[in-house]
Coordinates of all heavy atoms in Angstrom, one line a residue:
M1 N 37.0 -5.1 -38.9 CA 36.0 -5.5 -38.0 C 34.6 -5.1 -38.5 O 34.4 -4.0 -38.9 CB 36.2 -4.7 -36.7 CG 37.3 -5.3 -35.8 SD 37.0 -4.7 -34.2 CE 37.1 -5.9 -33.1
G2 N 33.7 -6.0 -38.4 CA 32.3 -5.7 -38.9 C 31.5 -4.9 -37.9 O 31.7 -5.0 -36.7
M3 N 30.6 -4.2 -38.4 CA 29.7 -3.4 -37.6 C 28.6 -4.3 -37.1 O 28.0 -5.1 -37.8 CB 29.0 -2.2 -38.4 CG 30.0 -1.2 -38.8 SD 30.4 0.0 -37.5 CE 28.8 0.8 -37.3
R4 N 28.3 -4.2 -35.8 CA 27.2 -5.0 -35.2 C 26.0 -4.2 -35.1 O 26.1 -3.0 -34.7 CB 27.6 -5.5 -33.8 CG 28.2 -6.9 -33.8 CD 28.0 -7.5 -32.5 NE 29.3 -7.8 -32.0 CZ 29.7 -7.7 -30.7 NH1 28.8 -7.2 -29.8 NH2 30.9 -8.0 -30.3
K5 N 24.9 -4.8 -35.5 CA 23.6 -4.0 -35.5 C 23.1 -4.2 -34.0 O 22.9 -5.3 -33.5 CB 22.7 -4.6 -36.5 CG 21.5 -3.7 -36.8 CD 20.7 -4.3 -37.9 CE 19.6 -3.3 -38.3 NZ 18.9 -3.8 -39.4
V6 N 22.8 -3.0 -33.4 CA 22.2 -3.0 -32.1 C 20.7 -2.9 -32.2 O 20.2 -1.9 -32.8 CB 22.8 -1.9 -31.2 CG1 22.2 -1.9 -29.8 CG2 24.3 -2.0 -31.2
I7 N 20.0 -3.8 -31.6 CA 18.5 -3.7 -31.6 C 18.1 -3.2 -30.3 O 18.4 -3.8 -29.2 CB 17.9 -5.1 -31.9 CG1 18.4 -5.6 -33.3 CG2 16.4 -5.1 -31.9 CD1 18.1 -7.1 -33.5
H8 N 17.4 -2.1 -30.3 CA 16.9 -1.6 -29.0 C 15.4 -2.1 -28.8 O 14.6 -1.9 -29.6 CB 16.8 0.0 -29.1 CG 18.2 0.5 -29.0 ND1 18.9 0.6 -27.8 CD2 19.0 1.1 -29.9 CE1 20.1 1.1 -28.1 NE2 20.2 1.5 -29.3
L9 N 15.2 -2.7 -27.7 CA 13.9 -3.2 -27.3 C 13.1 -2.1 -26.7 O 13.7 -1.3 -26.0 CB 14.0 -4.4 -26.4 CG 14.7 -5.7 -26.9 CD1 14.9 -6.7 -25.8 CD2 13.8 -6.3 -28.0
P10 N 11.8 -2.0 -26.9 CA 11.0 -1.0 -26.3 C 11.1 -1.2 -24.8 O 11.0 -2.3 -24.3 CB 9.6 -1.2 -26.8 CG 9.6 -2.6 -27.3 CD 11.0 -2.9 -27.7
R11 N 11.2 -0.1 -24.1 CA 11.3 -0.2 -22.6 C 10.0 -0.5 -22.0 O 9.0 0.2 -22.3 CB 11.8 1.2 -22.0 CG 13.3 1.4 -22.2 CD 13.9 2.2 -21.1 NE 15.3 2.3 -21.3 CZ 16.2 1.7 -20.5 NH1 15.8 1.0 -19.5 NH2 17.4 1.8 -20.7
V12 N 9.9 -1.5 -21.2 CA 8.7 -1.9 -20.5 C 8.8 -1.3 -19.1 O 9.6 -1.7 -18.3 CB 8.5 -3.4 -20.5 CG1 7.2 -3.8 -19.8 CG2 8.5 -3.9 -22.0
K13 N 7.8 -0.5 -18.8 CA 7.8 0.1 -17.5 C 7.2 -0.8 -16.5 O 6.1 -1.3 -16.7 CB 7.0 1.4 -17.5 CG 7.3 2.3 -16.3 CD 6.7 3.7 -16.6 CE 7.2 4.8 -15.7 NZ 6.9 4.7 -14.3
K14 N 8.0 -1.1 -15.4 CA 7.5 -2.1 -14.4 C 6.5 -1.4 -13.6 O 6.6 -0.2 -13.2 CB 8.6 -2.6 -13.6 CG 9.4 -3.7 -14.2 CD 10.2 -4.5 -13.2 CE 11.1 -3.7 -12.4 NZ 12.5 -4.1 -12.5
V15 N 5.4 -2.0 -13.2 CA 4.4 -1.5 -12.4 C 4.7 -1.9 -10.9 O 4.9 -3.1 -10.7 CB 3.0 -2.0 -12.7 CG1 1.9 -1.5 -11.8 CG2 2.6 -1.7 -14.2
P16 N 4.9 -0.9 -10.0 CA 5.2 -1.3 -8.7 C 4.1 -2.0 -8.0 O 2.9 -1.5 -8.0 CB 5.5 0.1 -8.0 CG 5.1 1.1 -8.9 CD 4.8 0.5 -10.2
L17 N 4.4 -3.2 -7.4 CA 3.4 -3.9 -6.7 C 3.6 -3.9 -5.2 O 4.7 -3.8 -4.7 CB 3.4 -5.4 -7.2 CG 3.2 -5.7 -8.6 CD1 3.4 -7.2 -8.9 CD2 1.8 -5.4 -9.0
R18 N 2.5 -3.9 -4.5 CA 2.5 -3.9 -3.0 C 1.5 -5.0 -2.5 O 0.5 -5.2 -3.2 CB 2.2 -2.6 -2.4 CG 3.2 -1.4 -2.8 CD 4.5 -1.7 -2.1 NE 5.5 -0.6 -2.5 CZ 6.3 -0.6 -3.5 NH1 6.3 -1.7 -4.3 NH2 7.2 0.3 -3.7
M19 N 1.8 -5.5 -1.3 CA 0.9 -6.5 -0.8 C -0.2 -5.8 0.1 O 0.2 -5.0 1.0 CB 1.6 -7.5 0.0 CG 0.7 -8.7 0.5 SD 1.5 -9.8 1.6 CE 2.4 -10.8 0.4
C20 N -1.4 -6.2 -0.1 CA -2.5 -5.7 0.8 C -2.4 -6.4 2.1 O -2.3 -7.6 2.2 CB -3.9 -6.0 0.1 SG -5.2 -5.7 1.2
V21 N -2.5 -5.7 3.2 CA -2.4 -6.3 4.6 C -3.6 -7.1 4.9 O -3.6 -7.9 5.8 CB -2.0 -5.3 5.7 CG1 -0.6 -4.8 5.6 CG2 -3.0 -4.1 5.7
G22 N -4.7 -6.8 4.2 CA -6.0 -7.5 4.4 C -6.0 -8.8 3.7 O -6.0 -9.9 4.4
C23 N -6.0 -8.8 2.4 CA -6.2 -10.1 1.6 C -4.9 -10.7 1.3 O -4.9 -11.8 0.7 CB -7.0 -9.8 0.4 SG -6.3 -8.7 -0.8
Q24 N -3.8 -10.1 1.6 CA -2.4 -10.6 1.3 C -2.1 -10.8 -0.2 O -1.3 -11.6 -0.6 CB -2.2 -11.9 2.0 CG -2.5 -11.9 3.5 CD -1.4 -11.3 4.3 OE1 -0.4 -11.9 4.4 NE2 -1.7 -10.2 4.9
E25 N -2.9 -10.1 -1.1 CA -2.6 -10.2 -2.5 C -1.7 -9.1 -3.0 O -1.8 -7.9 -2.5 CB -4.0 -10.0 -3.3 CG -4.8 -11.3 -3.3 CD -6.1 -11.1 -4.0 OE1 -6.2 -10.2 -4.9 OE2 -7.1 -11.7 -3.6
M26 N -0.9 -9.4 -4.0 CA 0.0 -8.4 -4.6 C -0.9 -7.6 -5.6 O -1.5 -8.2 -6.5 CB 1.2 -9.0 -5.3 CG 2.1 -9.7 -4.3 SD 2.9 -8.6 -3.1 CE 4.1 -7.9 -4.1
R27 N -0.9 -6.3 -5.5 CA -1.6 -5.5 -6.4 C -0.8 -4.3 -6.8 O 0.1 -3.9 -6.1 CB -2.9 -5.0 -5.8 CG -3.9 -6.1 -5.5 CD -5.1 -5.6 -4.8 NE -6.1 -6.7 -4.8 CZ -7.2 -6.6 -5.5 NH1 -7.5 -5.6 -6.3 NH2 -8.1 -7.6 -5.5
P28 N -1.2 -3.6 -7.9 CA -0.5 -2.4 -8.3 C -0.6 -1.3 -7.2 O -1.7 -1.2 -6.6 CB -1.1 -1.9 -9.6 CG -1.7 -3.2 -10.2 CD -2.1 -4.0 -9.0
K29 N 0.5 -0.7 -6.9 CA 0.5 0.3 -5.8 C -0.6 1.4 -5.9 O -1.2 1.8 -4.9 CB 1.9 1.0 -5.9 CG 2.3 1.8 -4.7 CD 3.7 2.2 -4.8 CE 4.1 3.5 -4.2 NZ 5.5 3.8 -4.3
K30 N -0.9 1.8 -7.2 CA -1.9 2.9 -7.4 C -3.3 2.4 -7.0 O -4.1 3.3 -6.7 CB -1.9 3.3 -8.9 CG -0.7 4.1 -9.3 CD -0.9 4.8 -10.6 CE 0.3 5.5 -11.2 NZ 1.1 6.3 -10.3
E31 N -3.6 1.1 -7.0 CA -4.9 0.7 -6.6 C -5.1 0.6 -5.1 O -6.2 0.4 -4.6 CB -5.1 -0.8 -7.1 CG -5.3 -0.8 -8.6 CD -5.5 -2.3 -9.1 OE1 -5.7 -3.2 -8.3 OE2 -5.4 -2.5 -10.3
L32 N -4.0 0.7 -4.3 CA -4.1 0.5 -2.9 C -4.1 1.8 -2.1 O -3.7 2.9 -2.6 CB -3.0 -0.4 -2.4 CG -2.9 -1.7 -3.1 CD1 -1.6 -2.4 -2.7 CD2 -4.0 -2.6 -2.6
I33 N -4.6 1.8 -0.9 CA -4.5 3.0 0.0 C -3.3 2.8 0.9 O -3.2 1.7 1.5 CB -5.8 3.0 0.8 CG1 -7.0 3.2 -0.1 CG2 -5.8 4.2 1.9 CD1 -8.4 3.0 0.6
R34 N -2.5 3.8 1.1 CA -1.4 3.7 2.0 C -1.7 4.3 3.4 O -2.2 5.4 3.4 CB -0.2 4.4 1.4 CG 1.1 4.3 2.2 CD 2.3 4.8 1.4 NE 3.5 4.6 2.1 CZ 4.2 5.5 2.7 NH1 3.9 6.7 2.7 NH2 5.4 5.2 3.3
V35 N -1.4 3.6 4.4 CA -1.5 4.1 5.7 C -0.1 4.2 6.2 O 0.7 3.2 6.0 CB -2.3 3.1 6.6 CG1 -2.4 3.6 8.0 CG2 -3.7 2.8 6.0
V36 N 0.3 5.3 6.8 CA 1.7 5.5 7.2 C 1.8 5.9 8.7 O 1.0 6.5 9.3 CB 2.3 6.7 6.3 CG1 1.6 8.0 6.6 CG2 3.8 6.8 6.5
R37 N 2.9 5.3 9.3 CA 3.3 5.7 10.6 C 4.4 6.8 10.4 O 5.5 6.4 9.9 CB 3.9 4.5 11.4 CG 4.2 4.9 12.9 CD 4.9 3.9 13.6 NE 6.3 3.9 13.2 CZ 7.2 2.9 13.2 NH1 6.7 1.7 13.5 NH2 8.4 3.0 12.8
T38 N 4.1 8.0 10.7 CA 5.0 9.1 10.5 C 6.2 9.0 11.5 O 6.1 8.4 12.5 CB 4.3 10.4 10.6 OG1 3.9 10.6 12.0 CG2 3.1 10.6 9.7
P39 N 7.3 9.8 11.2 CA 8.4 9.8 12.1 C 8.0 10.4 13.5 O 8.6 10.2 14.5 CB 9.4 10.7 11.4 CG 9.1 10.6 10.0 CD 7.6 10.4 9.9
Q40 N 6.9 11.2 13.5 CA 6.3 11.7 14.8 C 5.5 10.7 15.5 O 4.9 11.0 16.5 CB 5.5 13.0 14.5 CG 6.2 14.2 14.0 CD 6.6 14.1 12.5 OE1 5.9 13.5 11.7 NE2 7.8 14.6 12.2
D41 N 5.5 9.5 15.0 CA 4.8 8.3 15.6 C 3.3 8.4 15.6 O 2.6 7.9 16.5 CB 5.3 8.1 17.1 CG 5.6 6.7 17.3 OD1 5.9 5.9 16.4 OD2 5.4 6.2 18.5
T42 N 2.7 9.1 14.6 CA 1.3 9.2 14.4 C 0.9 8.3 13.2 O 1.7 8.2 12.3 CB 0.7 10.6 14.2 OG1 1.4 11.1 13.0 CG2 1.0 11.5 15.3
V43 N -0.3 7.7 13.2 CA -0.7 6.8 12.1 C -1.7 7.6 11.3 O -2.7 8.1 11.9 CB -1.3 5.5 12.7 CG1 -1.8 4.7 11.5 CG2 -0.2 4.7 13.4
E44 N -1.5 7.8 10.0 CA -2.4 8.6 9.2 C -2.6 7.9 7.8 O -1.8 7.1 7.4 CB -1.7 10.0 9.0 CG -1.5 10.8 10.2 CD -0.6 12.0 10.0 OE1 -0.4 12.4 8.8 OE2 -0.1 12.5 11.0
I45 N -3.6 8.3 7.2 CA -3.9 7.9 5.8 C -3.1 8.8 4.9 O -3.1 10.0 5.1 CB -5.4 7.9 5.5 CG1 -6.1 7.0 6.4 CG2 -5.6 7.6 4.0 CD1 -7.6 7.2 6.4
D46 N -2.3 8.2 3.9 CA -1.5 8.9 3.0 C -2.0 8.9 1.6 O -1.8 7.9 0.9 CB -0.1 8.3 3.1 CG 0.9 8.9 2.1 OD1 0.6 10.0 1.6 OD2 2.0 8.4 1.9
P47 N -2.8 9.9 1.2 CA -3.4 9.9 -0.1 C -2.4 10.0 -1.2 O -2.6 9.5 -2.3 CB -4.4 11.0 -0.1 CG -4.0 11.9 1.0 CD -3.2 11.1 2.0
T48 N -1.3 10.7 -1.0 CA -0.3 10.9 -2.0 C 0.6 9.6 -2.2 O 1.2 9.4 -3.3 CB 0.6 12.1 -1.7 OG1 1.3 11.8 -0.5 CG2 -0.1 13.4 -1.6
G49 N 0.8 8.9 -1.1 CA 1.7 7.7 -1.2 C 3.2 8.1 -1.1 O 4.0 7.3 -1.4
K50 N 3.4 9.4 -0.8 CA 4.8 9.8 -0.8 C 5.3 10.3 0.6 O 6.5 10.7 0.7 CB 4.9 11.0 -1.8 CG 4.8 10.5 -3.2 CD 4.9 11.7 -4.2 CE 5.1 11.3 -5.6 NZ 4.0 10.5 -6.2
R51 N 4.5 10.2 1.6 CA 4.9 10.8 2.9 C 6.0 9.9 3.5 O 6.0 8.7 3.3 CB 3.7 10.8 3.8 CG 2.7 11.7 3.2 CD 1.7 12.3 4.1 NE 2.1 12.7 5.4 CZ 1.3 12.9 6.4 NH1 0.0 12.6 6.3 NH2 1.7 13.3 7.6
S52 N 6.9 10.5 4.3 CA 7.9 9.7 4.9 C 7.4 8.9 6.1 O 6.5 9.4 6.8 CB 9.1 10.5 5.3 OG 8.7 11.4 6.3
G53 N 8.0 7.8 6.3 CA 7.5 6.9 7.4 C 7.3 5.5 7.0 O 7.4 5.2 5.8
R54 N 6.9 4.7 7.9 CA 6.6 3.3 7.6 C 5.2 3.1 7.1 O 4.3 3.5 7.7 CB 6.8 2.4 8.9 CG 6.7 1.0 8.6 CD 7.1 0.2 9.9 NE 7.0 -1.2 9.5 CZ 8.0 -1.9 9.0 NH1 9.1 -1.3 8.7 NH2 7.9 -3.2 8.7
G55 N 5.1 2.5 5.9 CA 3.8 2.4 5.2 C 3.3 1.0 5.2 O 4.0 0.0 5.2
A56 N 2.0 0.9 5.2 CA 1.3 -0.4 4.9 C 0.2 -0.1 3.9 O -0.4 1.0 3.9 CB 0.6 -0.9 6.2
Y57 N -0.1 -1.1 3.1 CA -1.0 -0.9 2.0 C -2.2 -1.7 2.2 O -2.1 -2.9 2.7 CB -0.4 -1.2 0.6 CG 0.7 -0.2 0.2 CD1 2.0 -0.4 0.7 CD2 0.4 0.9 -0.6 CE1 3.0 0.5 0.4 CE2 1.4 1.8 -0.9 CZ 2.7 1.6 -0.4 OH 3.7 2.5 -0.7
I58 N -3.4 -1.2 1.8 CA -4.7 -1.9 1.9 C -5.6 -1.7 0.7 O -5.6 -0.6 0.2 CB -5.4 -1.6 3.3 CG1 -6.5 -2.5 3.5 CG2 -5.8 -0.1 3.3 CD1 -6.9 -2.6 5.0
C59 N -6.3 -2.7 0.3 CA -7.2 -2.6 -0.8 C -8.3 -1.7 -0.4 O -8.7 -1.7 0.7 CB -7.8 -4.0 -1.2 SG -6.6 -5.2 -1.9
P60 N -8.9 -1.0 -1.4 CA -10.1 -0.1 -1.1 C -11.4 -0.9 -0.9 O -12.4 -0.5 -1.5 CB -10.1 0.9 -2.2 CG -9.5 0.1 -3.4 CD -8.5 -0.8 -2.8
R61 N -11.3 -2.1 -0.2 CA -12.5 -2.9 0.0 C -12.7 -3.1 1.5 O -11.8 -3.3 2.2 CB -12.4 -4.2 -0.7 CG -12.3 -4.2 -2.2 CD -12.6 -5.5 -2.9 NE -11.9 -6.6 -2.3 CZ -10.8 -7.2 -2.7 NH1 -10.3 -6.8 -3.9 NH2 -10.3 -8.2 -2.1
R62 N -14.0 -3.0 1.9 CA -14.3 -3.2 3.3 C -13.9 -4.5 3.9 O -13.3 -4.5 5.0 CB -15.8 -3.0 3.5 CG -16.2 -2.6 4.9 CD -17.7 -2.2 5.0 NE -18.0 -1.0 4.3 CZ -17.7 0.3 4.8 NH1 -17.2 0.4 6.0 NH2 -18.0 1.3 4.1
E63 N -14.0 -5.6 3.1 CA -13.6 -6.9 3.7 C -12.1 -7.0 3.9 O -11.7 -7.6 4.9 CB -14.1 -8.1 2.8 CG -13.6 -8.1 1.4 CD -14.6 -7.4 0.4 OE1 -15.3 -6.6 0.8 OE2 -14.5 -7.8 -0.8
C64 N -11.3 -6.3 3.1 CA -9.9 -6.3 3.4 C -9.5 -5.5 4.7 O -8.7 -6.0 5.4 CB -9.1 -5.6 2.2 SG -9.0 -6.7 0.8
L65 N -10.2 -4.4 4.9 CA -10.0 -3.6 6.1 C -10.4 -4.5 7.3 O -9.7 -4.5 8.3 CB -10.8 -2.3 6.1 CG -10.7 -1.5 7.3 CD1 -9.2 -1.0 7.5 CD2 -11.6 -0.3 7.3
Q66 N -11.5 -5.2 7.2 CA -12.0 -6.0 8.3 C -11.0 -7.1 8.7 O -10.7 -7.4 9.8 CB -13.4 -6.6 8.0 CG -14.5 -5.6 8.1 CD -15.8 -6.1 7.5 OE1 -15.9 -7.1 6.8 NE2 -16.9 -5.4 7.8
K67 N -10.4 -7.8 7.6 CA -9.4 -8.8 7.8 C -8.2 -8.2 8.5 O -7.6 -8.9 9.3 CB -9.1 -9.5 6.5 CG -10.1 -10.4 6.0 CD -9.5 -11.0 4.6 CE -10.6 -11.8 3.9 NZ -10.1 -12.2 2.6
A68 N -7.8 -7.1 8.0 CA -6.5 -6.4 8.5 C -6.7 -6.0 9.9 O -5.7 -6.2 10.7 CB -6.2 -5.2 7.7
V69 N -7.9 -5.6 10.3 CA -8.1 -5.2 11.7 C -8.3 -6.4 12.6 O -7.7 -6.5 13.7 CB -9.4 -4.3 11.8 CG1 -9.8 -4.0 13.2 CG2 -9.1 -2.9 11.1
K70 N -9.0 -7.4 12.1 CA -9.3 -8.6 12.9 C -8.0 -9.3 13.2 O -7.8 -9.8 14.3 CB -10.3 -9.5 12.1 CG -10.8 -10.6 12.9 CD -11.9 -11.4 12.1 CE -12.2 -12.7 12.8 NZ -12.8 -13.6 11.9
G71 N -7.1 -9.5 12.2 CA -5.9 -10.2 12.4 C -4.8 -9.3 12.9 O -3.6 -9.8 13.0
K72 N -5.1 -8.1 13.3 CA -4.1 -7.1 13.8 C -2.9 -6.9 12.8 O -1.8 -6.6 13.1 CB -3.5 -7.5 15.2 CG -4.6 -7.4 16.2 CD -4.0 -7.2 17.6 CE -5.0 -7.2 18.7 NZ -6.0 -6.2 18.7
R73 N -3.2 -7.1 11.5 CA -2.2 -7.1 10.5 C -1.7 -5.6 10.2 O -0.5 -5.4 9.9 CB -2.7 -7.7 9.2 CG -2.9 -9.2 9.3 CD -3.2 -9.7 7.9 NE -3.8 -11.1 8.0 CZ -4.8 -11.5 7.2 NH1 -5.2 -10.8 6.3 NH2 -5.3 -12.7 7.4
L74 N -2.6 -4.7 10.3 CA -2.3 -3.3 10.1 C -1.3 -2.9 11.2 O -0.3 -2.2 10.9 CB -3.5 -2.4 10.1 CG -3.5 -1.1 9.4 CD1 -3.0 -1.2 8.0 CD2 -4.8 -0.4 9.5
E75 N -1.6 -3.3 12.4 CA -0.7 -2.9 13.5 C 0.6 -3.6 13.4 O 1.6 -2.9 13.7 CB -1.4 -3.3 14.8 CG -2.6 -2.4 15.1 CD -3.6 -2.9 16.2 OE1 -3.3 -4.0 16.7 OE2 -4.6 -2.2 16.4
K76 N 0.7 -4.8 13.0 CA 2.0 -5.5 12.8 C 2.8 -4.9 11.7 O 4.0 -4.7 11.9 CB 1.7 -7.0 12.5 CG 1.3 -7.8 13.7 CD 1.1 -9.3 13.3 CE 0.5 -10.1 14.4 NZ -0.4 -11.1 13.9
A77 N 2.1 -4.5 10.6 CA 2.8 -3.9 9.5 C 3.4 -2.5 9.9 O 4.5 -2.2 9.5 CB 1.9 -3.7 8.3
L78 N 2.7 -1.8 10.7 CA 3.1 -0.4 11.1 C 4.0 -0.4 12.4 O 4.5 0.6 12.8 CB 1.9 0.5 11.2 CG 1.1 0.8 10.0 CD1 -0.1 1.6 10.3 CD2 2.0 1.5 8.9
Q79 N 4.0 -1.6 13.0 CA 4.7 -1.8 14.3 C 4.2 -0.8 15.3 O 5.0 -0.2 16.1 CB 6.2 -1.7 14.1 CG 6.7 -2.7 13.1 CD 8.2 -2.5 12.8 OE1 8.8 -1.5 13.0 NE2 8.8 -3.6 12.1
R80 N 2.9 -0.6 15.3 CA 2.3 0.4 16.2 C 0.8 0.2 16.3 O 0.2 -0.2 15.3 CB 2.6 1.8 15.7 CG 1.9 3.0 16.4 CD 3.0 3.9 17.0 NE 2.7 5.1 17.5 CZ 1.5 5.5 18.1 NH1 0.5 4.7 18.1 NH2 1.4 6.7 18.6
S81 N 0.2 0.5 17.4 CA -1.3 0.3 17.5 C -1.9 1.4 16.7 O -1.4 2.5 16.6 CB -1.7 0.3 19.0 OG -1.4 1.6 19.5
V82 N -3.0 1.1 16.1 CA -3.8 2.0 15.2 C -5.0 2.5 15.9 O -5.8 1.7 16.4 CB -4.1 1.3 13.8 CG1 -4.9 2.2 12.9 CG2 -2.9 0.8 13.1
A83 N -5.2 3.8 16.0 CA -6.3 4.4 16.7 C -7.6 4.1 16.0 O -7.6 4.0 14.7 CB -6.1 5.9 16.7
P84 N -8.7 3.9 16.7 CA -10.0 3.6 16.1 C -10.4 4.6 15.1 O -11.1 4.3 14.2 CB -10.9 3.5 17.3 CG -10.1 3.3 18.5 CD -8.7 3.9 18.2
E85 N -10.0 5.9 15.3 CA -10.4 7.0 14.4 C -9.8 6.7 13.0 O -10.5 7.0 12.0 CB -10.0 8.3 14.9 CG -10.4 8.7 16.3 CD -9.5 8.2 17.4 OE1 -8.4 8.7 17.6 OE2 -10.0 7.3 18.2
I86 N -8.6 6.2 13.0 CA -8.0 6.0 11.7 C -8.7 4.8 11.0 O -9.0 4.9 9.8 CB -6.5 5.6 11.9 CG1 -5.7 6.7 12.5 CG2 -5.9 5.1 10.6 CD1 -5.5 7.9 11.7
I87 N -9.1 3.8 11.7 CA -9.8 2.7 11.1 C -11.2 3.2 10.7 O -11.6 2.8 9.6 CB -9.9 1.5 12.2 CG1 -8.5 0.9 12.4 CG2 -10.9 0.4 11.7 CD1 -8.4 0.1 13.6
Q88 N -11.8 4.0 11.5 CA -13.1 4.6 11.1 C -13.0 5.4 9.8 O -13.8 5.3 8.9 CB -13.6 5.4 12.3 CG -15.0 6.0 12.0 CD -16.1 4.9 11.9 OE1 -16.1 3.9 12.6 NE2 -17.0 5.1 10.9
S89 N -12.0 6.3 9.7 CA -11.9 7.1 8.5 C -11.5 6.3 7.3 O -11.9 6.6 6.2 CB -10.9 8.3 8.7 OG -9.6 7.8 9.0
L90 N -10.8 5.2 7.5 CA -10.5 4.3 6.4 C -11.8 3.6 5.9 O -12.1 3.5 4.7 CB -9.5 3.2 6.8 CG -8.1 3.3 6.6 CD1 -7.3 2.3 7.3 CD2 -7.7 3.3 5.1
A91 N -12.6 3.2 6.9 CA -13.9 2.5 6.6 C -14.8 3.4 5.8 O -15.5 3.0 4.9 CB -14.5 2.0 7.9
E92 N -14.8 4.7 6.2 CA -15.7 5.7 5.5 C -15.3 5.9 4.1 O -16.1 6.2 3.2 CB -15.7 7.0 6.3 CG -16.5 6.9 7.6 CD -16.3 8.1 8.5 OE1 -15.6 9.1 8.1 OE2 -16.7 8.0 9.7
G93 N -13.9 5.8 3.8 CA -13.4 6.1 2.5 C -13.5 4.9 1.6 O -13.2 5.0 0.4
L94 N -14.0 3.8 2.1 CA -14.0 2.5 1.2 C -15.4 2.3 0.6 O -16.4 2.7 1.2 CB -13.7 1.3 2.1 CG -12.3 1.3 2.8 CD1 -12.2 0.0 3.6 CD2 -11.2 1.4 1.8
Q95 N -15.4 1.6 -0.5 CA -16.6 1.2 -1.1 C -17.0 -0.1 -0.6 O -16.2 -0.9 -0.1 CB -16.5 1.2 -2.7 CG -15.7 0.2 -3.2 CD -14.5 0.7 -3.9 OE1 -14.1 1.8 -3.7 NE2 -13.9 -0.1 -4.8
E96 N -18.3 -0.5 -0.8 CA -18.7 -1.8 -0.3 C -18.1 -2.9 -1.1 O -17.9 -2.8 -2.2 CB -20.3 -1.9 -0.4 CG -21.0 -1.0 0.6 CD -20.7 -1.4 2.1 OE1 -20.6 -2.6 2.4 OE2 -20.6 -0.5 2.9

């Protein structure tokens, strides 16, 4: 029996993509801001992206936040109404 030569291909790390609830575009997870509905039923901004609960992702752009709020997409994604304070703190953290 002959020896078969095994060629190892370099491993290509897949970049996790998530959809922005504002512009509906798929983007790398690291570029997006995660908003989470915690098991305690509070809606919070998740800077680490690791908190438990139902998450929704949004681009760090003001127009994406406006679209998400206007179309109630953030609320649909989290299956819960979002307090104005959360929307306000998201808006403050965004660039123009």
Side-chain angles (χ1 to χ4, degrees):
M1 283 203 133
M3 294 278 292
R4 264 206 242 137
K5 196 172 187 179
V6 179
I7 301 168
H8 289 285
L9 295 172
R11 286 208 176 251
V12 179
K13 196 167 197 293
K14 280 201 301 236
V15 178
L17 297 174
R18 296 292 180 269
M19 185 187 281
C20 168
V21 289
C23 62
Q24 309 279 294
E25 281 178 29
M26 295 297 282
R27 292 175 170 253
K29 192 172 153 180
K30 288 196 186 317
E31 289 178 12
L32 302 170
I33 298 167
R34 184 170 187 253
V35 182
V36 66
R37 185 191 76 207
T38 64
Q40 293 76 37
D41 225 28
T42 60
V43 176
E44 298 165 17
I45 297 165
D46 177 12
T48 62
K50 290 179 170 59
R51 302 201 37 201
S52 67
R54 185 172 184 85
Y57 292 84
I58 190 158
C59 294
R61 294 200 315 258
R62 200 168 295 277
E63 59 267 24
C64 283
L65 179 63
Q66 287 168 346
K67 283 181 192 172
V69 171
K70 192 175 169 200
K72 295 205 182 298
R73 294 187 196 145
L74 201 56
E75 290 164 359
K76 282 180 191 145
L78 296 172
Q79 299 171 348
R80 174 115 172 28
S81 62
V82 179
E85 302 87 69
I86 297 293
I87 293 163
Q88 184 62 42
S89 62
L90 265 170
E92 286 165 10
L94 300 181
Q95 68 245 20
E96 287 299 322

